[in-house]
Amino acid sequence: MANVLFYVSLSVIWVMLLYHMFLMQGGYLHYLRFGRSIDFREKEAGPLPMVSILIPAHNEEVVIERTIKAMLRLDYPKDRLEIIVINDNSKDRTGEIADSYASSHPFVKVVHTKPPHAGKGKSGALNQGLKHSTGEIIAVYDADNTPERKAVHYLVLALLNDPKAGVAVGKFRVINATASLLTRFINIETICFQWMAQGGRFKWFRITTIPGTNFAIRRSLIEQLGGWDEKALEEDTELTVRVYNSGWHIRFFPAAVTWEQEPETWKVWWKQRTRWARGNQYVVLKFLGRLFSLKRKSIVFDLIYFFFTYFLFFLGVMVSDAVFLVNLFVDLNLRVGIVSFILWILAFFLYVTEIMIALSIEKTEFTPRNLMIVLVMYFTYSQLWIVLVIYALYLEIRRVLFRQEAGWYKTERFAKKEKNDMVS
């Protein structure tokens, strides 16, 4: 029995490793085509539409001013631009700072939400902002984001030149990547398992997940869908499924770049990543029961992938580790011997290789130092995800059983940043 469990768990792990290598290759090919040049998508398709940028903000005084300044520098006609800061029941100076910019810039608006419409989380804030917007296209940015000047322009052009696309998404980079070892881990994770995986999924399957920031959606579509799901902790993943199921597709365009701040302490990281894991688990559980009734079959594959990732893969890792550890003290008569050792070495080599391939597209990141960090990352940061996913599943089951409502799960911000605003 122990041998069967061990081999099954190893098979699950290897399926995931090979699949992610496949995605890295696709992401690399997608980058070569779209990462540096815009080709036909840079061609104007008539007058630019009115764009409303929604920035949900709850106690964001540390970063909101830098974000608003980045929005003011966007290369987009100001008479076709509407920046809406949703000050969602903040207890600090967020609203005051936003109001100061609104008083001197007519295209900047501030929506101050109060109970009972406030405090319901990011989805609730976005729904309130949508009510006060007028744009044909709705763009969303988190309160710690500094998009590059042409980011919104590129997102809009991607929609204008692709009538079947309901959403256009860009990529994000880490602005405080050199602040600590943790942020260096996150920077590598972001490049490899966020936007490179996005590029691979789009290249091979024409599937892209909406991120929480740096995306644009047609107003007609978000209204058709009834806005954002206020019960979802990961409103972006949940919205992705509904967009595909409505018959639209999502365009991934890495030339649209935003820079965002990432957690600089393990405590903040744990809280943020737990929310991410819980949100994705919520989406899987929400749509799993109607998996085969979904209209878009490609999203069925994606949901199975999420299920595989957040349930089977981590279960496989736990089982293999448990069997191996128990065998050190109790003879389980494992008939794996040198085979298991070779498979582990190959898995480690594959892990390092796929990350270094992904880092090679960012010339400043492909360094000997980052190679050493990747080696450490495998035994520390990556393993910590196993514990985190288990904990997140426990919290999500408890939320369902006790019918707890979603609220703000805001990531703590840090005043110090390691790079400039990256908006050129």
Side-chain angles (χ1 to χ4, degrees):
M1 183 62 179
N3 283 280
V4 174
L5 287 175
F6 194 71
Y7 276 122
V8 169
S9 62
L10 279 181
S11 300
V12 170
I13 294 170
W14 265 92
V15 167
M16 286 298 293
L17 284 171
L18 292 174
Y19 178 67
H20 273 281
M21 176 59 83
F22 182 60
L23 291 184
M24 291 301 110
Q25 293 173 340
Y28 189 84
L29 293 174
H30 186 69
Y31 170 78
L32 291 179
R33 183 178 181 189
F34 296 112
R36 298 177 183 176
S37 62
I38 309 303
D39 59 69
F40 73 91
R41 286 169 186 75
E42 197 169 16
K43 300 174 183 177
E44 302 289 352
L48 290 173
M50 184 72 183
V51 174
S52 295
I53 299 177
L54 304 186
I55 307 173
H58 176 67
N59 296 333
E60 298 284 10
E61 68 174 355
V62 174
V63 294
I64 192 63
E65 184 169 20
R66 189 180 75 225
T67 297
I68 294 175
K69 285 181 177 179
M71 299 300 167
L72 297 179
R73 290 192 288 262
L74 287 172
D75 183 9
Y76 199 86
K78 298 303 183 286
D79 62 336
R80 311 298 297 162
L81 187 64
E82 181 180 60
I83 301 170
I84 302 177
V85 179
I86 306 111
N87 175 35
D88 193 55
N89 202 31
S90 296
K91 305 302 181 184
D92 60 6
R93 296 181 57 248
T94 299
E96 178 185 337
I97 294 171
D99 282 336
S100 68
Y101 281 91
S103 64
S104 57
H105 297 85
F107 57 94
V108 177
K109 300 180 181 179
V110 184
V111 176
H112 298 279
T113 63
K114 299 294 181 183
H117 302 296
K120 295 184 178 181
K122 183 178 176 181
S123 295
L126 288 171
N127 284 332
Q128 291 301 311
L130 181 63
K131 294 178 182 178
H132 292 82
S133 66
T134 61
E136 302 170 49
I137 293 177
I138 307 296
V140 176
Y141 284 93
D142 285 338
D144 66 325
N145 270 221
T146 50
E148 295 185 357
R149 292 181 186 273
K150 293 188 73 66
V152 171
H153 195 186
Y154 287 157
L155 292 176
V156 171
L157 291 179
L159 292 177
L160 292 180
N161 286 279
D162 191 348
K164 295 182 180 180
V167 184
V169 307
K171 73 172 182 178
F172 61 89
R173 295 295 314 279
V174 179
I175 198 171
N176 57 335
T178 60
S180 66
L181 179 61
L182 173 59
T183 59
R184 292 181 185 276
F185 284 155
I186 296 173
N187 182 49
I188 293 172
E189 174 196 18
T190 299
I191 295 171
C192 301
F193 301 107
Q194 299 292 339
W195 87 263
M196 274 296 282
Q198 283 272 55
R201 290 163 66 233
F202 185 77
K203 171 68 176 179
W204 301 127
F205 309 112
R206 289 297 183 264
I207 297 175
T208 300
T209 301
I210 298 173
T213 186
N214 196 30
F215 73 90
I217 185 170
R218 298 181 191 274
R219 182 187 194 87
S220 58
L221 174 56
I222 191 62
E223 289 182 339
Q224 172 193 334
L225 296 175
W228 283 267
D229 181 355
E230 297 185 7
K231 294 181 180 180
L233 295 179
E234 281 297 289
E235 77 294 330
D236 41 15
T237 306
E238 191 279 337
L239 181 61
T240 298
V241 179
R242 289 192 288 143
V243 167
Y244 277 117
N245 200 43
S246 67
W248 293 84
H249 73 260
I250 301 169
R251 193 81 194 169
F252 176 61
F253 199 55
V257 180
T258 192
W259 292 79
E260 68 176 20
Q261 190 181 89
E262 293 292 346
E264 296 183 7
T265 67
W266 287 100
K267 181 179 179 180
V268 176
W269 175 86
W270 180 270
K271 183 178 179 180
Q272 183 195 63
R273 273 11 186 210
T274 298
R275 176 176 60 84
W276 287 11
R278 288 182 64 189
N280 287 319
Q281 289 165 353
Y282 167 85
V283 172
V284 171
L285 296 175
K286 176 179 178 177
F287 291 101
L288 198 60
R290 37 187 166 137
L291 192 65
F292 298 104
S293 64
L294 294 174
K295 299 176 183 177
R296 189 73 176 266
K297 298 309 176 186
S298 56
I299 200 63
V300 171
F301 173 83
D302 222 32
L303 283 170
I304 293 174
Y305 164 71
F306 275 111
F307 175 74
F308 204 97
T309 300
Y310 285 96
F311 294 91
L312 296 185
F313 173 67
F314 286 103
L315 178 62
V317 173
M318 287 185 291
V319 169
S320 65
D321 288 350
V323 171
F324 180 77
L325 289 174
V326 170
N327 192 63
L328 294 177
F329 304 97
V330 179
D331 186 8
L332 297 178
N333 193 29
L334 291 179
R335 294 186 298 274
V336 289
I338 192 65
V339 175
S340 63
F341 180 74
I342 293 175
L343 287 175
W344 182 85
I345 292 294
L346 289 175
F348 176 69
F349 177 76
L350 189 60
Y351 172 90
V352 174
T353 300
E354 69 176 69
I355 290 182
M356 295 311 294
I357 289 175
L359 292 181
S360 69
I361 66 172
E362 303 288 351
K363 303 305 179 185
T364 59
E365 306 291 350
F366 191 67
T367 63
R369 181 174 186 173
N370 271 346
L371 174 59
M372 296 304 297
I373 291 174
V374 171
L375 299 179
V376 174
M377 185 175 175
Y378 179 85
F379 296 100
T380 55
Y381 186 82
S382 297
Q383 303 305 317
L384 190 57
W385 266 97
I386 301 171
V387 182
L388 186 145
V389 168
I390 298 171
Y391 176 68
L393 183 59
Y394 159 73
L395 292 179
E396 189 59 21
I397 292 174
R398 191 177 69 174
R399 183 191 69 82
V400 173
L401 292 177
F402 293 98
R403 299 183 179 181
Q404 298 171 340
E405 292 187 2
W408 269 103
Y409 289 79
K410 195 187 79 65
T411 301
E412 181 182 340
R413 311 300 186 191
F414 300 87
K416 182 182 178 182
K417 58 182 183 296
E418 296 298 315
K419 296 184 180 181
N420 58 26
D421 283 344
M422 295 293 182
V423 293
S424 61

mmCIF file of all heavy atoms in Angstrom, residues 46-73:
data_model
loop_
_atom_site.group_PDB
_atom_site.id
_atom_site.type_symbol
_atom_site.label_atom_id
_atom_site.label_comp_id
_atom_site.label_asym_id
_atom_site.label_seq_id
_atom_site.Cartn_x
_atom_site.Cartn_y
_atom_site.Cartn_z
ATOM 1 N N GLY A 46 -9.936 53.873 -34.793
ATOM 2 C CA GLY A 46 -10.922 54.936 -34.601
ATOM 3 C C GLY A 46 -10.648 55.706 -33.315
ATOM 4 O O GLY A 46 -9.632 55.504 -32.654
ATOM 5 N N PRO A 47 -11.554 56.583 -32.908
ATOM 6 C CA PRO A 47 -11.372 57.384 -31.687
ATOM 7 C C PRO A 47 -11.262 56.505 -30.453
ATOM 8 O O PRO A 47 -11.929 55.477 -30.343
ATOM 9 C CB PRO A 47 -12.651 58.241 -31.644
ATOM 10 C CG PRO A 47 -13.181 58.223 -33.049
ATOM 11 C CD PRO A 47 -12.805 56.898 -33.618
ATOM 12 N N LEU A 48 -10.411 56.908 -29.532
ATOM 13 C CA LEU A 48 -10.266 56.147 -28.303
ATOM 14 C C LEU A 48 -11.508 56.302 -27.435
ATOM 15 O O LEU A 48 -12.071 57.389 -27.329
ATOM 16 C CB LEU A 48 -9.036 56.630 -27.531
ATOM 17 C CG LEU A 48 -7.680 56.296 -28.157
ATOM 18 C CD1 LEU A 48 -6.561 56.978 -27.400
ATOM 19 C CD2 LEU A 48 -7.458 54.784 -28.184
ATOM 20 N N PRO A 49 -11.953 55.232 -26.818
ATOM 21 C CA PRO A 49 -13.172 55.287 -25.998
ATOM 22 C C PRO A 49 -12.914 55.927 -24.639
ATOM 23 O O PRO A 49 -11.773 56.045 -24.185
ATOM 24 C CB PRO A 49 -13.545 53.812 -25.854
ATOM 25 C CG PRO A 49 -12.226 53.108 -25.891
ATOM 26 C CD PRO A 49 -11.375 53.870 -26.878
ATOM 27 N N MET A 50 -13.982 56.268 -23.962
ATOM 28 C CA MET A 50 -13.897 56.769 -22.591
ATOM 29 C C MET A 50 -13.531 55.604 -21.671
ATOM 30 O O MET A 50 -14.121 54.527 -21.744
ATOM 31 C CB MET A 50 -15.245 57.359 -22.176
ATOM 32 C CG MET A 50 -15.254 57.989 -20.804
ATOM 33 S SD MET A 50 -14.333 59.535 -20.801
ATOM 34 C CE MET A 50 -14.453 59.986 -19.062
ATOM 35 N N VAL A 51 -12.538 55.829 -20.815
ATOM 36 C CA VAL A 51 -12.069 54.803 -19.892
ATOM 37 C C VAL A 51 -12.236 55.279 -18.457
ATOM 38 O O VAL A 51 -11.841 56.396 -18.111
ATOM 39 C CB VAL A 51 -10.584 54.457 -20.136
ATOM 40 C CG1 VAL A 51 -10.073 53.487 -19.075
ATOM 41 C CG2 VAL A 51 -10.397 53.856 -21.520
ATOM 42 N N SER A 52 -12.826 54.433 -17.627
ATOM 43 C CA SER A 52 -12.931 54.705 -16.199
ATOM 44 C C SER A 52 -11.983 53.763 -15.463
ATOM 45 O O SER A 52 -12.094 52.542 -15.589
ATOM 46 C CB SER A 52 -14.360 54.488 -15.699
ATOM 47 O OG SER A 52 -15.254 55.404 -16.282
ATOM 48 N N ILE A 53 -11.038 54.328 -14.722
ATOM 49 C CA ILE A 53 -10.101 53.531 -13.934
ATOM 50 C C ILE A 53 -10.612 53.462 -12.505
ATOM 51 O O ILE A 53 -10.756 54.493 -11.839
ATOM 52 C CB ILE A 53 -8.689 54.137 -13.955
ATOM 53 C CG1 ILE A 53 -8.150 54.180 -15.388
ATOM 54 C CG2 ILE A 53 -7.750 53.340 -13.052
ATOM 55 C CD1 ILE A 53 -6.784 54.825 -15.506
ATOM 56 N N LEU A 54 -10.900 52.258 -12.032
ATOM 57 C CA LEU A 54 -11.381 52.067 -10.670
ATOM 58 C C LEU A 54 -10.212 51.664 -9.768
ATOM 59 O O LEU A 54 -9.489 50.714 -10.068
ATOM 60 C CB LEU A 54 -12.460 50.987 -10.621
ATOM 61 C CG LEU A 54 -13.694 51.181 -11.524
ATOM 62 C CD1 LEU A 54 -14.719 50.081 -11.239
ATOM 63 C CD2 LEU A 54 -14.316 52.551 -11.319
ATOM 64 N N ILE A 55 -10.046 52.384 -8.660
ATOM 65 C CA ILE A 55 -8.981 52.091 -7.702
ATOM 66 C C ILE A 55 -9.615 51.892 -6.331
ATOM 67 O O ILE A 55 -9.882 52.855 -5.608
ATOM 68 C CB ILE A 55 -7.951 53.240 -7.633
ATOM 69 C CG1 ILE A 55 -7.437 53.591 -9.031
ATOM 70 C CG2 ILE A 55 -6.793 52.861 -6.707
ATOM 71 C CD1 ILE A 55 -6.547 54.818 -9.061
ATOM 72 N N PRO A 56 -9.936 50.648 -5.949
ATOM 73 C CA PRO A 56 -10.498 50.395 -4.621
ATOM 74 C C PRO A 56 -9.439 50.638 -3.552
ATOM 75 O O PRO A 56 -8.313 50.153 -3.667
ATOM 76 C CB PRO A 56 -10.912 48.920 -4.690
ATOM 77 C CG PRO A 56 -10.028 48.327 -5.740
ATOM 78 C CD PRO A 56 -9.759 49.408 -6.737
ATOM 79 N N ALA A 57 -9.800 51.401 -2.520
ATOM 80 C CA ALA A 57 -8.807 51.775 -1.509
ATOM 81 C C ALA A 57 -9.412 51.725 -0.113
ATOM 82 O O ALA A 57 -10.427 52.379 0.153
ATOM 83 C CB ALA A 57 -8.260 53.167 -1.798
ATOM 84 N N HIS A 58 -8.785 50.967 0.761
ATOM 85 C CA HIS A 58 -9.219 50.872 2.159
ATOM 86 C C HIS A 58 -7.985 51.034 3.044
ATOM 87 O O HIS A 58 -7.125 50.161 3.081
ATOM 88 C CB HIS A 58 -9.887 49.519 2.408
ATOM 89 C CG HIS A 58 -10.274 49.293 3.838
ATOM 90 N ND1 HIS A 58 -11.252 50.016 4.469
ATOM 91 C CD2 HIS A 58 -9.789 48.412 4.768
ATOM 92 C CE1 HIS A 58 -11.386 49.591 5.713
ATOM 93 N NE2 HIS A 58 -10.492 48.623 5.920
ATOM 94 N N ASN A 59 -7.872 52.195 3.687
ATOM 95 C CA ASN A 59 -6.712 52.508 4.530
ATOM 96 C C ASN A 59 -5.404 52.393 3.749
ATOM 97 O O ASN A 59 -4.510 51.618 4.100
ATOM 98 C CB ASN A 59 -6.677 51.584 5.757
ATOM 99 C CG ASN A 59 -7.863 51.788 6.683
ATOM 100 O OD1 ASN A 59 -8.447 52.882 6.732
ATOM 101 N ND2 ASN A 59 -8.243 50.750 7.409
ATOM 102 N N GLU A 60 -5.291 53.181 2.689
ATOM 103 C CA GLU A 60 -4.148 53.103 1.777
ATOM 104 C C GLU A 60 -3.334 54.398 1.742
ATOM 105 O O GLU A 60 -2.727 54.730 0.731
ATOM 106 C CB GLU A 60 -4.635 52.779 0.356
ATOM 107 C CG GLU A 60 -5.347 51.452 0.213
ATOM 108 C CD GLU A 60 -4.398 50.260 0.215
ATOM 109 O OE1 GLU A 60 -3.203 50.451 0.520
ATOM 110 O OE2 GLU A 60 -4.854 49.147 -0.085
ATOM 111 N N GLU A 61 -3.292 55.139 2.838
ATOM 112 C CA GLU A 61 -2.603 56.427 2.818
ATOM 113 C C GLU A 61 -1.111 56.300 2.519
ATOM 114 O O GLU A 61 -0.496 57.242 2.021
ATOM 115 C CB GLU A 61 -2.799 57.163 4.143
ATOM 116 C CG GLU A 61 -2.108 56.523 5.339
ATOM 117 C CD GLU A 61 -2.207 57.383 6.593
ATOM 118 O OE1 GLU A 61 -2.725 58.509 6.506
ATOM 119 O OE2 GLU A 61 -1.787 56.910 7.667
ATOM 120 N N VAL A 62 -0.516 55.154 2.786
ATOM 121 C CA VAL A 62 0.919 54.969 2.561
ATOM 122 C C VAL A 62 1.257 54.983 1.075
ATOM 123 O O VAL A 62 2.324 55.463 0.671
ATOM 124 C CB VAL A 62 1.400 53.646 3.201
ATOM 125 C CG1 VAL A 62 2.860 53.371 2.852
ATOM 126 C CG2 VAL A 62 1.231 53.704 4.712
ATOM 127 N N VAL A 63 0.350 54.494 0.231
ATOM 128 C CA VAL A 63 0.681 54.321 -1.188
ATOM 129 C C VAL A 63 -0.233 55.068 -2.152
ATOM 130 O O VAL A 63 0.085 55.199 -3.337
ATOM 131 C CB VAL A 63 0.658 52.817 -1.561
ATOM 132 C CG1 VAL A 63 1.763 52.063 -0.836
ATOM 133 C CG2 VAL A 63 -0.705 52.205 -1.249
ATOM 134 N N ILE A 64 -1.380 55.566 -1.689
ATOM 135 C CA ILE A 64 -2.382 56.070 -2.630
ATOM 136 C C ILE A 64 -1.905 57.292 -3.414
ATOM 137 O O ILE A 64 -2.246 57.454 -4.587
ATOM 138 C CB ILE A 64 -3.716 56.392 -1.885
ATOM 139 C CG1 ILE A 64 -4.842 56.628 -2.879
ATOM 140 C CG2 ILE A 64 -3.531 57.576 -0.949
ATOM 141 C CD1 ILE A 64 -5.180 55.424 -3.733
ATOM 142 N N GLU A 65 -1.092 58.143 -2.807
ATOM 143 C CA GLU A 65 -0.631 59.333 -3.526
ATOM 144 C C GLU A 65 0.266 58.959 -4.694
ATOM 145 O O GLU A 65 0.128 59.507 -5.797
ATOM 146 C CB GLU A 65 0.103 60.282 -2.582
ATOM 147 C CG GLU A 65 0.522 61.582 -3.264
ATOM 148 C CD GLU A 65 1.008 62.633 -2.283
ATOM 149 O OE1 GLU A 65 1.377 62.271 -1.139
ATOM 150 O OE2 GLU A 65 1.035 63.818 -2.663
ATOM 151 N N ARG A 66 1.192 58.030 -4.478
ATOM 152 C CA ARG A 66 2.070 57.589 -5.565
ATOM 153 C C ARG A 66 1.252 56.964 -6.688
ATOM 154 O O ARG A 66 1.545 57.151 -7.876
ATOM 155 C CB ARG A 66 3.087 56.585 -5.028
ATOM 156 C CG ARG A 66 4.189 56.244 -6.050
ATOM 157 C CD ARG A 66 5.176 55.245 -5.487
ATOM 158 N NE ARG A 66 4.607 53.905 -5.444
ATOM 159 C CZ ARG A 66 4.705 53.098 -4.402
ATOM 160 N NH1 ARG A 66 5.304 53.496 -3.298
ATOM 161 N NH2 ARG A 66 4.179 51.888 -4.446
ATOM 162 N N THR A 67 0.217 56.220 -6.344
ATOM 163 C CA THR A 67 -0.631 55.584 -7.347
ATOM 164 C C THR A 67 -1.391 56.626 -8.168
ATOM 165 O O THR A 67 -1.450 56.531 -9.401
ATOM 166 C CB THR A 67 -1.628 54.622 -6.676
ATOM 167 O OG1 THR A 67 -0.896 53.571 -6.027
ATOM 168 C CG2 THR A 67 -2.579 54.015 -7.690
ATOM 169 N N ILE A 68 -1.966 57.616 -7.504
ATOM 170 C CA ILE A 68 -2.698 58.660 -8.225
ATOM 171 C C ILE A 68 -1.764 59.433 -9.148
ATOM 172 O O ILE A 68 -2.116 59.741 -10.301
ATOM 173 C CB ILE A 68 -3.395 59.617 -7.239
ATOM 174 C CG1 ILE A 68 -4.483 58.878 -6.462
ATOM 175 C CG2 ILE A 68 -4.012 60.806 -7.987
ATOM 176 C CD1 ILE A 68 -5.148 59.709 -5.388
ATOM 177 N N LYS A 69 -0.554 59.725 -8.682
ATOM 178 C CA LYS A 69 0.421 60.428 -9.526
ATOM 179 C C LYS A 69 0.740 59.611 -10.781
ATOM 180 O O LYS A 69 0.897 60.167 -11.871
ATOM 181 C CB LYS A 69 1.701 60.700 -8.736
ATOM 182 C CG LYS A 69 1.573 61.820 -7.716
ATOM 183 C CD LYS A 69 2.909 62.045 -6.998
ATOM 184 C CE LYS A 69 2.819 63.199 -6.028
ATOM 185 N NZ LYS A 69 4.110 63.418 -5.312
ATOM 186 N N ALA A 70 0.846 58.290 -10.620
ATOM 187 C CA ALA A 70 1.105 57.429 -11.776
ATOM 188 C C ALA A 70 -0.054 57.487 -12.755
ATOM 189 O O ALA A 70 0.150 57.498 -13.984
ATOM 190 C CB ALA A 70 1.330 55.988 -11.316
ATOM 191 N N MET A 71 -1.281 57.548 -12.246
ATOM 192 C CA MET A 71 -2.452 57.646 -13.111
ATOM 193 C C MET A 71 -2.471 58.971 -13.873
ATOM 194 O O MET A 71 -2.866 59.028 -15.044
ATOM 195 C CB MET A 71 -3.736 57.509 -12.289
ATOM 196 C CG MET A 71 -3.874 56.187 -11.557
ATOM 197 S SD MET A 71 -3.878 54.766 -12.690
ATOM 198 C CE MET A 71 -3.656 53.413 -11.518
ATOM 199 N N LEU A 72 -2.044 60.040 -13.218
ATOM 200 C CA LEU A 72 -2.012 61.352 -13.868
ATOM 201 C C LEU A 72 -1.004 61.396 -15.014
ATOM 202 O O LEU A 72 -1.157 62.173 -15.955
ATOM 203 C CB LEU A 72 -1.671 62.439 -12.846
ATOM 204 C CG LEU A 72 -2.665 62.646 -11.704
ATOM 205 C CD1 LEU A 72 -2.181 63.738 -10.766
ATOM 206 C CD2 LEU A 72 -4.050 62.985 -12.241
ATOM 207 N N ARG A 73 0.031 60.553 -14.937
ATOM 208 C CA ARG A 73 1.065 60.530 -15.969
ATOM 209 C C ARG A 73 0.755 59.565 -17.112
ATOM 210 O O ARG A 73 1.565 59.407 -18.030
ATOM 211 C CB ARG A 73 2.414 60.167 -15.342
ATOM 212 C CG ARG A 73 2.996 61.252 -14.443
ATOM 213 C CD ARG A 73 4.446 60.947 -14.102
ATOM 214 N NE ARG A 73 4.553 59.829 -13.169
ATOM 215 C CZ ARG A 73 4.702 59.973 -11.858
ATOM 216 N NH1 ARG A 73 4.752 61.162 -11.318
ATOM 217 N NH2 ARG A 73 4.814 58.909 -11.071
#
